[in-house]
Amino acid sequence: MKKIFVPIAFMVALNGCIIPVYDPPRGSIELHNYSDRPIYVYSNDEDTLPLTPALELFHSASSDYNKDYDAWGNPMPVPTMYTTDERIDAYNYGKVWTGGTHKHPSIGHPKNPDNKLYLFFITEETMRNHTWEEIWKDQLYVKKDSVTEGEMEKTLWRYTYFPPKE
């Protein structure tokens, strides 16, 4: 009986020590893109686009694994399907991550005394034709908006993007 009890007790004790780390979901804003084109959204607690971290253009893969290309037409080494979180397709929606939790999102940062989240909208055409350094230097976004926690609570943490009138 001892021979069976000791290994079972050891396994139960060991199982209790191996606990997976739980990373709770973060807060977010549900962002709806009401335009004819995909957009990239950069969110920041400062009112200008920073140099780092940079947004990346999406990568796509063809159905033929021997002919995979990234967004610039360069061959890709392995079959991949990669779309950045910051890209939102036309007439679709995505998320912009904020502070807080899934049930209680928040906006605010100790370095941000006005507690605003700035949203920068960049067209895919701009992402394809300019480096991030050029986008940053010339602030090549089509629209900038700021939101507060109070505004987002009123809209149930939803933001609707309409393209600027040409």
Side-chain angles (χ1 to χ4, degrees):
M1 183 70 172
K2 257 188 181 181
K3 289 181 182 183
I4 295 174
F5 179 73
V6 172
I8 291 175
F10 179 73
M11 288 173 46
V12 169
L14 185 61
N15 189 30
C17 294
I18 303 173
I19 299 173
V21 176
Y22 175 68
D23 191 14
R26 299 181 301 182
S28 63
I29 296 172
E30 187 177 283
L31 199 142
H32 294 258
N33 177 8
Y34 279 87
S35 73
D36 294 335
R37 299 177 183 169
I39 56 166
Y40 287 74
V41 183
Y42 195 105
S43 61
N44 192 18
D45 58 358
E46 298 175 18
D47 66 347
T48 59
L49 278 174
L51 180 58
T52 58
L55 287 184
E56 293 182 12
L57 191 63
F58 78 99
H59 296 275
S60 64
S62 68
S63 60
D64 181 0
Y65 291 128
N66 296 324
K67 296 181 180 179
D68 292 318
Y69 301 96
D70 67 10
W72 296 278
N74 300 318
M76 293 174 61
V78 293
T80 305
M81 181 55 113
Y82 171 71
T83 303
T84 65
D85 288 339
E86 294 84 5
R87 183 179 189 268
I88 302 173
D89 285 326
Y91 299 105
N92 209 332
Y93 68 94
K95 292 197 181 286
V96 173
W97 299 108
T98 65
T101 64
H102 177 69
K103 289 187 177 186
H104 301 286
S106 67
I107 293 174
H109 191 273
K111 295 180 184 177
N112 183 6
D114 56 3
N115 287 328
K116 289 184 179 178
L117 181 68
Y118 294 89
L119 303 172
F120 300 89
F121 301 93
I122 304 166
T123 64
E124 189 163 81
E125 181 180 349
T126 300
M127 292 291 293
R128 285 184 183 275
N129 295 319
H130 299 276
T131 64
W132 183 254
E133 288 78 18
E134 293 170 333
I135 294 170
W136 164 74
K137 181 181 173 197
D138 298 330
Q139 298 290 296
L140 297 177
Y141 49 83
V142 292
K143 184 177 179 181
K144 174 176 90 169
D145 199 1
S146 64
V147 296
T148 64
E149 196 166 314
E151 292 168 342
M152 289 294 93
E153 286 173 351
K154 289 178 186 175
T155 63
L156 302 176
W157 293 88
R158 290 187 180 98
Y159 181 95
T160 304
Y161 168 79
F162 292 100
K165 296 185 184 202
E166 297 176 9

